[in-house]
Amino acid sequence: MTTGNSNPTMDSLLHDLQAKYEQVKLGGGAKRIEKEHAKGKLTARERIDYLRDKGTDFLEVGAFVADGMYQEEGGCPSGGVVTGIGYVSGRMCMIVANDATVKAGAWFPMTAKKNLRAQEIAMENQLPVIYLVDSAGVFLPMQNEIFPDKEHFGRQFRNNAKMSAMGIVQVAAIMGSCVAGGAYLPIMSDEAMIVDKTGSIFLAGSYLVKSAIGETIDNETLGGATTHCEISGVTDNKYDTDQDCLDAIRKIFDKIGHNPTAVFDRVEAQKPGLTGEDLIASFPTERVKPYDMLQIVKGLVDAGDFDEYKEEYGKTLICGTARIDGWAVGIVANQRKIVKTAKGEMQMGGVIYSDSADKAARFIMNCNQRKIPLVFLQDVSGFMVGSKAEHGGIIKDGAKMVNAMANSVVPKFTFILGNSYGAGNYAMCGKAYDPRLIYSWPTAQMAVMSGAAAANTLLQIKVAGLKKKGLEITPEDEKELLDEITSKYNEELSPFYAASRLWVDGVIDPRETRKVISMGIEAANHAPITERFNVGVIQT
């Protein structure tokens, strides 16, 4: 998303966020929704709303997937599938619903990536999965980007098998088309149901059957509900309507037994230290403006009560324990204001120094020992550079922090509030380090370096290349090139660019942060910790 304003207000960013989300919820558009209704079908989001317990929260994962992508193919809003964590008959579960209003629910490359992310969350947290299937299968013009590789379409069936072996319940409802390789997903689930007259499942449709073997047959006879419930036994039961089928899923879930938990500590929740409006007001939208991250932390935690660890040491990282919605958490957050060390030295906010990295590593170890989930709040420019930092062992201390964070066995949750640059993204538990959930605020920027620094570097490379070709570059040419490079780079800095590619699970209103953390820990509590924390070999 580009706002055209170098200093947008938070209100403006939140307005853009809400408008973009409302557009995403329309899927393939109002006319496509009408066509689904005319067939007697609910849309993907309507099915989820009907299925889940009334008055409960739904944590959507990947709402902005494929945003701005596949424009030549007409776009693919939300990747053509809706995924998220919700409650069905009192049980927390992962719900995956194909959106037939988007290219008949066909699978694009990002559709596959999003489905795999949903399965990954289910496996990590041992959550049961509900698949609401309504898909035309692989989008053939892009089959080379979705079919054969390790993280492509077939990986979901491998995950089906693995989850069954792990004892994770999977229930599938065939509520529309289910063809070719996609037919394996519901049938590899533990229970498969189908809606009569609108649901169908087969490896090859009637046209392909005619072409391949010369047989003339209609799709309903080939793979409709009656065929598979009464003749083949492929599906377990058929239902007259979407609603009847969804009601049956609810009945299954109200009888599922309970597994051991991870016993993360929770007490009665208290209101946060700041109101939602005050929290928003406390966070500057100007990325170069310093602020006190401690105020943001206290604004997120119950009663503003935060027990800081090593308060006077390593001040560019804030570490400490608190409660969020009653859950005990350990928080690691980048301090954005300029701080003064005991030696009288000034340290830049948002930069990780040796002492800060050392402190964070020790704090992460403590949280693992005490089974306290970790929350990372990113607004980081990277690690300190220069001769003094290098002579002081910044690489060694940074490695200690990354080692402790990467080997952490308690669940980790990451939020990108502002900057997320370079190795700072890694150390503060970026996507590559397996956070259970990772979300951005609309103020976030994610890249190797800041826009200004990157644009000037790229300009120098571009100009040098042109001069090698013997071209003369005027100051006006340089300015035009810089503007072009800056515009492209700023677009790639956008949190929606990251969300589109699933570098983050979504972009949220800051006031939703507590909900994400609470539901995330509740989900993680379904999976007892079986690994032992070990940081391996690191220099001390």
Side-chain angles (χ1 to χ4, degrees):
M1 178 187 68
T2 55
T3 62
N5 187 339
S6 62
N7 183 24
T9 66
M10 182 68 85
D11 286 344
S12 175
L13 291 173
L14 294 177
H15 178 272
D16 289 348
L17 169 62
Q18 186 60 35
K20 187 177 279 286
Y21 183 55
E22 291 301 323
Q23 185 63 40
V24 160
K25 288 197 295 184
L26 291 175
K31 290 184 178 179
R32 285 301 315 229
I33 292 173
E34 288 176 10
K35 287 184 178 180
E36 294 301 299
H37 289 167
K39 298 174 186 176
K41 296 166 63 177
L42 300 175
T43 66
R45 291 183 183 277
E46 288 169 344
R47 287 167 178 165
I48 291 174
D49 287 343
Y50 183 91
L51 175 65
R52 63 188 183 88
D53 297 345
K54 301 301 177 278
T56 60
D57 287 323
F58 179 68
L59 179 56
E60 188 163 354
V61 174
F64 299 110
V65 160
D67 177 56
M69 300 175 69
Y70 312 126
Q71 294 305 300
E72 291 184 4
E73 290 77 22
C76 186
S78 210
V81 63
V82 183
T83 62
I85 300 171
Y87 301 86
V88 175
S89 297
R91 300 299 302 264
M92 181 176 262
C93 58
M94 172 59 71
I95 305 173
V96 178
N98 298 117
D99 187 349
T101 70
V102 180
K103 300 289 184 182
W107 285 58
F108 284 69
M110 286 307 302
T111 314
K113 187 172 183 178
K114 182 172 176 178
N115 274 266
L116 292 176
R117 175 59 177 152
Q119 288 182 323
E120 178 184 43
I121 292 171
M123 294 169 80
E124 286 178 333
N125 298 291
Q126 295 184 22
L127 295 178
V129 186
I130 298 171
Y131 302 104
L132 305 180
V133 184
D134 194 346
S135 172
V138 168
F139 184 66
L140 286 178
M142 305 187 77
Q143 64 85 27
N144 64 316
E145 298 180 47
I146 188 175
F147 170 62
D149 209 349
K150 181 179 179 180
E151 298 298 330
H152 282 178
F153 188 76
R155 186 74 171 182
Q156 66 173 333
F157 311 131
R158 174 264 188 194
N159 288 348
N160 282 144
K162 289 289 186 181
M163 282 190 276
S164 287
M166 293 169 65
I168 296 173
V169 174
Q170 299 171 85
V171 175
I174 301 158
M175 313 184 84
S177 298
C178 184
V179 300
Y184 287 105
L185 185 145
I187 307 311
M188 291 187 72
S189 298
D190 302 297
E191 192 153 352
M193 46 198 63
I194 187 169
V195 179
D196 197 16
K197 301 298 186 293
T198 54
S200 60
I201 179 169
F202 32 65
L203 294 182
S206 57
Y207 293 125
L208 184 54
V209 167
K210 177 69 174 177
S211 174
I213 64 173
E215 180 183 3
T216 301
I217 189 170
D218 64 88
N219 282 338
E220 184 64 26
T221 306
L222 180 66
T226 298
T227 294
H228 285 311
C229 287
E230 299 180 18
I231 301 173
S232 72
V234 167
T235 51
D236 301 315
N237 288 296
K238 65 178 179 180
Y239 301 89
D240 292 332
T241 66
D242 281 9
Q243 291 88 339
D244 292 339
C245 189
L246 296 169
D247 288 338
I249 295 176
R250 293 184 57 81
K251 289 181 179 179
I252 292 171
F253 269 70
D254 75 5
K255 298 174 182 68
I256 294 176
H258 296 270
N259 295 328
T261 69
V263 295
F264 298 128
D265 190 64
R266 191 181 197 184
V267 300
E268 186 176 349
Q270 297 184 52
K271 291 182 179 180
L274 295 177
T275 65
E277 296 306 315
D278 287 341
L279 175 66
I280 289 172
S282 298
F283 190 84
T285 55
E286 304 93 330
R287 297 309 325 122
V288 296
K289 185 177 180 179
Y291 64 93
D292 189 355
M293 177 65 88
L294 189 59
Q295 289 301 112
I296 305 299
V297 171
K298 290 183 176 180
L300 291 172
V301 303
D302 290 8
D305 188 9
F306 180 66
D307 298 319
E308 194 166 353
Y309 174 76
K310 290 183 177 287
E311 182 179 351
E312 299 301 323
Y313 177 71
K315 293 182 177 182
T316 63
L317 273 178
I318 297 170
C319 300
T321 53
R323 291 190 182 274
I324 292 179
D325 199 32
W327 293 105
V329 296
I331 295 174
V332 180
N334 301 108
Q335 176 58 282
R336 284 294 302 186
K337 70 177 185 180
I338 298 172
V339 299
K340 187 176 182 180
T341 69
K343 297 178 180 179
E345 300 169 335
M346 306 305 292
Q347 294 183 339
M348 294 184 291
V351 177
I352 302 174
Y353 290 77
S354 283
D355 53 357
S356 302
D358 175 65
K359 174 171 105 172
R362 293 170 182 267
F363 177 71
I364 290 168
M365 292 178 193
N366 287 349
C367 288
N368 274 269
Q369 183 187 50
R370 301 166 193 178
K371 293 186 177 179
I372 301 175
L374 285 161
V375 175
F376 292 84
L377 303 178
Q378 287 197 19
D379 194 350
V380 58
S381 302
F383 285 88
M384 189 58 190
V385 297
S387 60
K388 185 175 182 181
E390 298 292 359
H391 296 171
I394 185 66
I395 296 176
K396 175 190 69 176
D397 291 319
K400 286 163 61 177
M401 178 180 174
V402 172
N403 200 319
M405 181 275 300
N407 282 293
S408 178
V409 296
V410 296
K412 299 170 290 193
F413 304 91
T414 302
F415 297 86
I416 303 173
L417 280 57
N419 300 339
S420 181
Y421 296 153
N425 170 278
Y426 299 161
M428 293 294 292
C429 195
K431 182 67 180 290
Y433 293 86
D434 300 320
R436 295 291 177 96
L437 295 170
I438 175 169
Y439 283 83
S440 288
W441 286 10
T443 44
Q445 295 184 343
M446 188 187 305
V448 171
M449 62 182 74
S450 70
N456 282 304
T457 301
L458 291 169
L459 175 65
Q460 292 173 34
I461 295 170
K462 183 79 171 178
V463 168
L466 292 171
K467 287 181 176 179
K468 278 185 179 179
K469 295 178 181 178
L471 298 175
E472 184 178 342
I473 307 300
T474 66
E476 290 76 16
D477 292 333
E478 282 201 22
K479 184 181 184 307
E480 186 176 339
L481 280 171
L482 180 60
D483 289 343
E484 180 183 329
I485 291 168
T486 301
S487 177
K488 181 177 183 298
Y489 199 86
N490 283 341
E491 180 183 349
E492 294 175 1
L493 282 172
S494 163
F496 293 103
Y497 189 90
S500 176
R501 289 149 181 80
L502 262 183
W503 301 343
V504 295
D505 292 319
V507 184
I508 59 169
D509 185 315
R511 292 166 290 195
E512 294 287 293
T513 307
R514 280 170 53 89
K515 166 190 154 182
V516 175
I517 294 170
S518 180
M519 289 186 70
I521 298 176
E522 183 181 351
N525 203 39
H526 288 78
I529 296 174
T530 56
E531 297 178 85
R532 185 174 180 179
F533 177 66
N534 189 334
V535 295
V537 179
I538 57 174
Q539 289 180 290
T540 58

